């Protein structure tokens, strides 16, 4: 049985990973260099036939043609872009931060490529995102893939795919694909496909398809198709589904305390579009 997402406490939120850092400002690379987020399989190989070297070594693309999509080393400039262009991401994938010559980087929609660069970091997605946020000030302009960020009450935070965003009461937290977003009371938490969202009392939690949304008392939890939702006392749950008869999406809504819906229980929809406990 899948349990509802545990809701964190926000009594003493003081961590602020936004820019600028209070005690440890970002250490930017030289003006003619840029940091790129890259990914590999566990053995450091890639799906385009290249194997990355260790930290401190220069990676050189075996084939380079700046005017074509193929060839070159691939990644996301400053950690921004479409994570799906990295292909299937395994749980034990290696995440890299590579320093490349800015003038050699070729950007295309959602990603970039470059002929060579020095490997600066190898580790987890969170570790790579932390390295980018610390050493590349331009990474703060848009959500970073894999970033974990926390802000206080009434503030907003947004991270990319595979990341985690946490905000206090009356805050807004947004995470991308397979991300985790959580807020305190009266806040709004939103996550993408296969994401998890949690909101406090009178908050709103929204998760994409196959995601999980959880809200506390008087809160609203909304999940996409094949998703799961849970709410506290006097809360509301809703799950999107596809209506084949009229070929459109519809929203199934349930009220906690009515029609057998229990508080804090996690529900999904069966084939007859009825709420059933998970």
């Amino acid at each position: 049985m899948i349990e509802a997402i545990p809701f964190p406490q926000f009594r003493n939120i003081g961590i602020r990973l936004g820019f600028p850092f209070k005690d440890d400002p970002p250490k930017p690379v030289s003006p003619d260099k840029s940091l790129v987020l890259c990914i590999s399989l566990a053995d450091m190989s890639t799906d385009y036939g290249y194997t990355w070297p260790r930290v401190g070594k220069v990676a050189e693309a075996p084939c380079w043609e700046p005017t074509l999509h193929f060839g070159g080393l691939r990644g996301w400039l400053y950690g921004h872009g479409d994570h799906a262009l990295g292909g299937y991401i395994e749980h034990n994938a290696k995440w890299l931060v590579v320093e490349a010559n800015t003038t050699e980087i070729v950007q295309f929609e959602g990603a970039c490529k470059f002929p060579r660069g020095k490997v600066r970091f190898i580790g987890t997605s969170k570790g790579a995102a932390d390295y980018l946020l610390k050493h590349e000030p331009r990474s703060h302009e848009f959500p970073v893939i894999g970033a974990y960020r926390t802000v206080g009450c009434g503030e907003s935070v947004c991270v990319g795919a595979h990341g985690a965003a946490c905000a206090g009461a009356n805050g807004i937290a947004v995470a991308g694909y397979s991300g985790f977003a959580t807020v305190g009371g009266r806040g709004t938490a939103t996550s993408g496909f296969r994401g998890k969202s949690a909101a406090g009392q009178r908050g709103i939690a929204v998760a994409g398809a196959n995601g999980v949304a959880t809200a506390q008392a008087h809160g609203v939890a909304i999940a996409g198709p094949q998703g799961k939702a849970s709410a506290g006392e006097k809360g509301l749950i809703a799950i999107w589904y596809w209506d084949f008869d009229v070929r459109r999406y519809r929203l199934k809504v349930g009220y906690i305390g009515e029609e057998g819906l229990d508080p804090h229980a996690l529900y999904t929809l069966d084939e007859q579009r009825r709420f059933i406990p998970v």
Side-chain angles (χ1 to χ4, degrees), residues 4-91:
I5 301 172
F7 189 76
Q9 300 298 316
F10 291 94
R11 295 190 183 92
N12 296 300
I13 285 184
I15 302 173
R16 299 173 185 270
L17 298 182
F19 178 73
F21 287 77
K22 180 178 179 181
D23 301 318
D24 189 13
K27 302 173 179 59
V29 296
S30 59
D32 59 337
K33 303 288 186 180
S34 294
L35 296 184
V36 181
L37 177 67
C38 303
I39 191 171
S40 75
L41 301 176
D43 62 359
M44 301 299 293
S45 65
T46 67
D47 59 359
Y48 52 93
Y50 181 74
T51 299
W52 290 95
R54 63 179 183 272
V55 172
K57 296 295 183 179
V58 175
E60 189 86 29
C63 174
W64 173 248
E65 173 49 63
T67 61
L68 300 176
H69 272 287
F70 65 81
L73 306 174
R74 305 174 191 174
W76 300 278
L77 184 60
Y78 314 140
H80 309 152
D82 183 357
H83 80 284
L85 296 180
Y88 176 72
I89 299 176
E90 298 180 339
H91 72 280

Side-chain angles (χ1 to χ4, degrees), residues 117-140:
K118 180 177 287 189
V119 179
R120 292 296 189 185
F121 175 90
I122 299 175
T124 64
S125 59
K126 179 183 182 301
D130 288 345
Y131 188 96
L132 275 166
L133 290 168
K134 183 174 182 179
H135 296 279
E136 177 57 88
R138 290 166 290 191
S139 66
H140 296 261

Side-chain angles (χ1 to χ4, degrees), residues 182-206:
T182 180
V183 295
R186 299 180 186 272
T188 301
T190 304
S191 62
F193 180 73
R194 291 184 178 174
K196 296 180 176 65
S197 298
Q201 292 189 11
R202 301 184 185 277
I204 300 173
V206 181

Side-chain angles (χ1 to χ4, degrees), residues 129-235:
D130 288 345
Y131 188 96
L132 275 166
L133 290 168
K134 183 174 182 179
H135 296 279
E136 177 57 88
R138 290 166 290 191
S139 66
H140 296 261
E141 296 175 2
F142 296 98
V144 173
I145 296 170
Y148 281 51
R149 301 185 63 191
T150 300
V151 297
C153 297
E155 297 186 320
S156 301
V157 61
C158 184
V159 299
H162 303 285
C166 183
N170 297 294
I172 298 175
V174 180
Y177 172 93
S178 195
F180 183 33
T182 180
V183 295
R186 299 180 186 272
T188 301
T190 304
S191 62
F193 180 73
R194 291 184 178 174
K196 296 180 176 65
S197 298
Q201 292 189 11
R202 301 184 185 277
I204 300 173
V206 181
N210 295 97
V212 180
T214 298
Q216 299 299 300
H218 301 277
V220 176
I222 304 172
Q226 288 80 52
K228 304 173 183 65
S230 168
E233 294 183 0
K234 303 294 184 180

